[in-house]
Amino acid sequence: MMNFVLGTIAGAMMAAIATIAAVRNPDVQVRLGLVRPEVPVVAVRRPDPVCPPAPSVLAGAPVGHPDLLFAKRRFWSVAPK
């Protein structure tokens, strides 16, 4: 008899927790009529992105040199001199 009572209490607690978790879901709230459905807001046109102007000093300068990747200083910077 004690197992039946404990099982009933445990089942009721699980059902209560599942119900509370389900009602906290916005989709379930709308289906149950607890809240009004939100009207989706649609943007008519996206604004054009604003890009910063390119600096004129670096416009014609090269971006690096071929030895930049395999420079000895880069790999052996902690070696004693």
Side-chain angles (χ1 to χ4, degrees), residues 27-75:
D27 295 335
V28 175
Q29 291 176 359
V30 170
R31 267 190 265 145
L32 292 176
L34 299 175
V35 294
R36 293 181 185 164
E38 295 181 12
V39 177
V41 178
V42 179
V44 177
R45 182 174 180 269
R46 287 180 70 178
D48 293 332
V50 178
C51 299
S56 61
V57 175
L58 298 176
V63 180
H65 53 84
D67 294 332
L68 187 64
L69 182 60
F70 300 109
K72 286 186 178 181
R73 239 181 338 157
R74 180 174 174 235
F75 290 110

Side-chain angles (χ1 to χ4, degrees), residues 76-81:
W76 307 109
S77 62
V78 293
K81 292 183 177 182

Side-chain angles (χ1 to χ4, degrees), residues 10-32 34:
M13 288 176 65
M14 286 190 291
I17 291 171
T19 302
I20 291 170
V23 171
R24 288 178 56 101
N25 188 346
D27 295 335
V28 175
Q29 291 176 359
V30 170
R31 267 190 265 145
L32 292 176
L34 299 175

